[in-house]
Amino acid sequence: MINIALVGNPNTGKTSLFNYLTGSYEFVGNWSGVTVEKKVGTLKNKTGHLIDLPGIYTLSPLSKDESVVSNYFISESFNGIVNIVDASQLERNLILTIQLLEYGKPIVIGLNMSDVAKQRGISLNEEKLSKELKVPVISIVARSGKGCNIMMDQISTIETKDQQPLKLDYGEILENGIDEFFYLIPSQTVQNLPLRWLALQFFEGNQIVRSYLNTLTSSDKLDELFEKVENQVKNSSNIKSLSQWIYSVRKDYISSILDQSLEKERTNQVPLSDRIDAIVTNKLFGIPIFLICMLFMFKLTFDWLGTPLSDSLDYFISGPLTSWISTLLQSLGTSNFIQSLVLDGIVAGVGGVIVFIPQIFILFFFISFLEDSGYMARAALVMDKLMESVGLNGKAFIPMIIGFGCNVPGVMAARTIEQPKERLITILLTPLMSCSARLPVYALFVGAFFAKYQTMIVFFLYVLGIVLALLMAKIFSKILLKNETSIFVVELPPYRIPQTKTLLRSTWDKGKGFIRKAGTFIFGGSVIIWLLSYAGPNGLGVEMDDSFLAIIGGLFAPILAPLGFGTWQAGASLLTGFLAKEVVVSSMNIIYHAPNMDSLQALLTQAYTPLSAFSFIVFILLYIPCLATVGTIKKETGSTKWTYFSIIYALILAYIITLIIYQCGKLLGF
């Protein structure tokens, strides 16, 4: 079977095309870097594999995810390339296409978003473009699949195509430099890689290629050649760098091609995307509009849809389902120990979290809608000035937004950030974003203590997470970002009405992780918590206050007392929250022996005051990341030191902020 690399700029519809050609589904988002690892799918016609590589603007990588592509081109074996380009942004997209053509593998170009191009008065003759580039150019609509079957046929025969590498004339100086490069790097040493392509990537400043070349010849000789050629180019022109010279040659070539195949109609009509952007990215209105979107999301999640659905599910689990399971266990003649384990441990623990599934899925649905509509990229743009003031840039806000769903993919999305230190800071800050796992804890407490204001309370918690992240970014950037220049490049895709099928699949893709945790972490945690509550130094079936769970939780009670919740129950619940934040709710359901959510909330009103309850959920927002997030931080940073730091600083921050809130609240008479 053949292997085909799928390559293109961000937001050109690359992942949508991958989904259509392979019949599989990968997450589709509308910002740069949503595909941060290569993904492999089998073509529908079973002729080969399609490898979906991260969206990039150039083969010379700036960020960690972009380096995946250059590494793939150097170290992997593949038969051809599918290059998807945006018909409305051809001049920019073809820069990458030129680099791919210079590589010399057979290539098929998918011309996507022709509808957007027509709206902008751009008419393209793909036959002329195909003739100029000497490769197949196929007009497609990746979202709907139009033209994709024709592309499938072209891909199936790609192995038989004889593709000669594109050879542009880069001028006498650079061409002489390429000849000298050939002397330094003999063709037999490069493992069948195109030598001229390697030379051009080297002179362009591709660090992945440079690292590869350093294994083949002297680094000093390469440095000497690069400096010599760059100085000659600078002295003979107004160009400031060798990469800029290469870019200018490619741009001139692209202009000559488009002169032959592209027609632009004069139109006085302002594109719809531009008209909407004039409002949503406005300096005055941008951030308020983003906050209004968040507020609307929480109204849906809590007041309008989420809470009524969760109440109905709670009624079913605590009523009919529990009765059926109890009757079944009795009819099977099980012991009291097994009945208590199943009903008081598993059903109470797992069921206490499952009741919040409607709210979780509504939250994910809304986030998916914003992503697929094109608004998320605008949110990053709007936040750029604010992020810049704390030492980061707008792109750092994207992982934080993703962190609203789950901190794990949020941390992973930091790969799209070009600067290593900015990437590190973003990884450290993303766990401060209020993920969906914390939502059940919020829903439990705000329903018990702040029923009339639950939307505003949860909205405040999300904003508090953002504000504290910005504050910590300012502190960290002063320490870590000395002499580092920030780069902010974000694609603004056209606005689109999300397809229902894509929207539902994206929502499910996010939400299934929550359900999976209910069957793993939460199930296992519930069993362990119940066993610790059932057993004690005096044996089995002890009173809850004499259990091992009470003893363990009691160790933390004195430390938590200044925060307003110095009980063993709170200490035990917070300890189990390290597994997954949802387990806090499971713990409380088991500890308080609550038959349903209403009963648990009633019991909580006896154990907490409104002020201590608010302090508790603020602590839940800020204290240590969950186990999965900690593991991801370790993987992404490659550092045990920074992993421990992420835990310790979050715990200290949570304690200080919660202490201030509770003690100030007491002074004010709350």
Side-chain angles (χ1 to χ4, degrees):
M1 295 180 76
I2 60 174
N3 290 322
I4 306 297
L6 177 58
V7 189
N9 283 193
N11 298 308
T12 52
K14 183 171 56 65
T15 307
S16 296
L17 178 63
F18 175 86
N19 296 337
Y20 186 88
L21 293 178
T22 62
S24 62
Y25 172 72
E26 294 297 344
F27 174 62
V28 180
N30 240 336
W31 61 75
S32 170
V34 66
T35 310
V36 293
E37 293 178 331
K38 68 173 184 178
K39 298 179 175 69
V40 182
T42 303
L43 292 168
K44 287 180 181 178
N45 59 11
K46 309 298 182 184
T47 58
H49 295 116
L50 190 64
I51 298 91
D52 181 19
L53 295 169
I56 55 170
Y57 295 102
T58 171
L59 288 177
S60 185
L62 290 173
S63 63
K64 188 177 179 181
D65 67 305
E66 290 177 355
S67 67
V68 170
V69 183
S70 285
N71 276 317
Y72 182 84
F73 271 56
I74 290 173
S75 59
E76 301 288 339
S77 175
F78 59 102
N79 304 93
I81 301 168
V82 172
N83 175 215
I84 184 168
V85 300
D86 181 351
S88 65
Q89 302 285 350
L90 269 178
E91 188 172 1
R92 185 188 63 219
N93 280 224
L94 288 178
I95 290 290
L96 175 61
T97 303
I98 299 304
Q99 293 177 305
L100 300 177
L101 290 169
E102 288 174 334
Y103 190 80
K105 287 283 186 181
I107 184 170
V108 177
I109 295 177
L111 194 64
N112 196 26
M113 300 188 189
S114 298
D115 53 339
V116 177
K118 288 178 181 177
Q119 291 172 8
R120 296 179 178 178
I122 300 172
S123 177
L124 180 71
N125 187 323
E126 57 253 35
E127 291 182 4
K128 287 185 178 180
L129 183 61
S130 176
K131 185 178 178 181
E132 293 289 336
L133 293 175
K134 297 181 177 62
V135 295
V137 176
I138 300 161
S139 184
I140 62 170
V141 179
R143 285 162 61 89
S144 66
K146 181 181 177 182
C148 292
N149 289 330
I150 300 173
M151 172 162 277
M152 181 88 75
D153 295 337
Q154 288 284 347
I155 294 171
S156 301
T157 62
I158 203 168
E159 193 176 18
T160 64
K161 298 180 186 297
D162 183 23
Q163 181 76 43
Q164 293 299 315
L166 175 65
K167 189 174 181 180
L168 299 182
D169 183 358
Y170 285 96
E172 183 180 355
I173 295 173
L174 185 52
E175 292 296 337
N176 289 337
I178 292 172
D179 290 338
E180 290 186 48
F181 178 89
F182 292 165
Y183 285 114
L184 280 179
I185 311 289
S187 59
Q188 61 267 26
T189 66
V190 296
Q191 302 173 355
N192 297 320
L193 289 171
L195 197 56
R196 182 177 173 86
W197 177 83
L198 284 172
L200 288 167
Q201 290 297 308
F202 162 70
F203 285 122
E204 198 172 354
N206 188 325
Q207 291 303 311
I208 301 299
V209 169
R210 178 57 192 270
S211 297
Y212 169 71
L213 295 174
N214 284 343
T215 65
L216 304 178
T217 190
S218 165
S219 176
D220 292 338
K221 290 181 179 179
L222 288 170
D223 287 337
E224 184 181 337
L225 175 59
F226 185 91
E227 290 174 10
K228 172 187 169 183
V229 175
E230 185 167 61
N231 288 332
Q232 288 177 351
V233 168
K234 286 180 180 178
N235 293 332
S236 64
S237 66
N238 294 324
I239 300 295
K240 295 180 179 179
S241 68
L242 196 47
S243 61
Q244 191 177 345
W245 172 261
I246 294 172
Y247 175 81
S248 67
V249 173
R250 288 172 178 161
K251 191 172 181 182
D252 289 342
Y253 176 68
I254 290 168
S255 297
S256 68
I257 291 174
L258 295 182
D259 286 342
Q260 301 297 320
S261 55
L262 192 66
E263 294 179 4
K264 289 189 177 181
E265 303 171 8
R266 289 189 176 183
T267 175
N268 294 324
Q269 185 177 0
V270 179
L272 178 61
S273 287
D274 293 350
R275 281 180 278 163
I276 298 174
D277 282 343
I279 300 172
V280 301
T281 63
N282 184 277
K283 292 180 181 179
L284 294 177
F285 304 136
I287 292 179
I289 288 173
F290 173 71
L291 294 175
I292 289 170
C293 285
M294 286 182 60
L295 187 59
F296 179 77
M297 176 171 69
F298 297 132
K299 290 295 273 185
L300 278 176
T301 303
F302 290 97
D303 290 351
W304 298 336
L305 284 177
T307 298
L309 290 173
S310 290
D311 288 345
S312 300
L313 187 58
D314 181 37
Y315 171 78
F316 171 74
I317 291 174
S318 62
L321 181 62
T322 301
S323 298
W324 295 339
I325 294 173
S326 178
T327 302
L328 176 64
L329 292 173
Q330 290 174 10
S331 65
L332 293 174
T334 55
S335 65
N336 289 334
F337 175 84
I338 296 298
Q339 289 184 35
S340 181
L341 170 62
V342 174
L343 295 174
D344 299 334
I346 297 171
V347 174
V350 178
V353 174
I354 286 178
V355 299
F356 297 105
I357 281 179
Q359 292 172 320
I360 300 295
F361 271 79
I362 289 169
L363 178 71
F364 283 148
F365 181 86
F366 194 81
I367 290 175
S368 297
F369 182 89
L370 293 179
E371 289 167 353
D372 209 35
S373 67
Y375 177 71
M376 281 300 196
R378 273 78 182 178
L381 180 64
V382 163
M383 295 299 293
D384 181 52
K385 287 293 182 186
L386 183 59
M387 299 297 286
E388 188 179 337
S389 68
V390 298
L392 300 175
N393 67 53
K395 191 176 280 191
F397 194 63
I398 292 174
M400 296 181 187
I401 297 173
I402 298 173
F404 288 158
C406 178
N407 289 163
V408 171
V411 169
M412 292 174 67
R415 296 176 185 178
T416 62
I417 297 170
E418 292 82 2
Q419 296 74 23
K421 290 179 181 178
E422 282 195 26
R423 188 185 311 129
L424 173 62
I425 290 176
T426 305
I427 288 171
L428 295 175
L429 297 178
T430 298
L432 296 179
M433 298 300 103
S434 187
C435 65
S436 61
R438 296 168 171 99
L439 206 60
V441 188
Y442 300 161
L444 176 65
F445 276 84
V446 297
F449 293 92
F450 314 105
K452 292 182 180 179
Y453 309 104
Q454 53 186 344
T455 297
M456 294 306 300
I457 294 292
V458 176
F459 177 69
F460 171 80
L461 291 170
Y462 275 73
V463 173
L464 177 63
I466 295 172
V467 170
L468 289 175
L470 295 176
L471 177 64
M472 297 309 297
K474 186 70 174 178
I475 296 171
F476 291 160
S477 64
K478 290 290 186 184
I479 300 170
L480 297 176
L481 294 183
K482 294 177 181 178
N483 303 320
E484 186 165 283
T485 304
S486 181
I487 300 173
F488 178 53
V489 179
V490 67
E491 183 81 11
L492 292 183
Y495 289 99
R496 293 185 181 276
I497 297 174
Q499 293 177 312
T500 303
K501 183 179 178 181
T502 302
L503 200 55
L504 293 176
R505 292 179 77 175
S506 178
T507 303
W508 169 249
D509 193 58
K510 294 182 178 75
K512 69 182 179 183
F514 181 84
I515 296 175
R516 191 184 297 117
K517 277 199 287 184
T520 53
F521 277 117
I522 299 170
F523 178 88
S526 297
V527 171
I528 293 170
I529 294 161
W530 180 84
L531 286 171
L532 289 173
S533 69
Y534 189 78
N538 298 323
L540 300 176
V542 299
E543 291 293 325
M544 185 73 73
D545 288 342
D546 298 323
S547 66
F548 286 123
L549 189 63
I551 294 171
I552 295 170
L555 297 175
F556 299 96
I559 302 171
L560 299 174
L563 309 183
F565 40 89
T567 63
W568 72 260
Q569 291 92 337
S573 300
L574 289 169
L575 184 64
T576 60
F578 177 59
L579 286 175
K581 294 298 184 287
E582 305 97 325
V583 182
V584 171
V585 176
S586 301
S587 302
M588 290 190 163
N589 233 14
I590 293 168
I591 289 170
Y592 289 103
H593 281 305
N596 55 48
M597 201 52 56
D598 287 340
S599 300
L600 177 57
Q601 288 177 332
L603 290 168
L604 288 175
T605 57
Q606 299 172 24
Y608 293 81
T609 66
L611 177 60
S612 63
F614 182 72
S615 299
F616 185 81
I617 55 178
V618 169
F619 194 80
I620 288 289
L621 164 68
L622 301 174
Y623 91 121
I624 55 176
C626 69
L627 184 61
T629 303
V630 169
T632 307
I633 292 172
K634 174 67 169 67
K635 179 183 175 184
E636 293 300 309
T637 61
S639 167
T640 303
K641 177 186 73 173
W642 287 116
T643 304
Y644 281 125
F645 179 80
S646 70
I647 297 171
I648 294 168
Y649 102 82
L651 198 56
I652 293 172
L653 180 66
Y655 198 92
I656 292 172
I657 297 299
T658 308
L659 181 68
I660 292 171
I661 288 174
Y662 182 72
Q663 295 299 333
C664 289
K666 281 182 65 177
L667 289 174
L668 294 172
F670 289 102

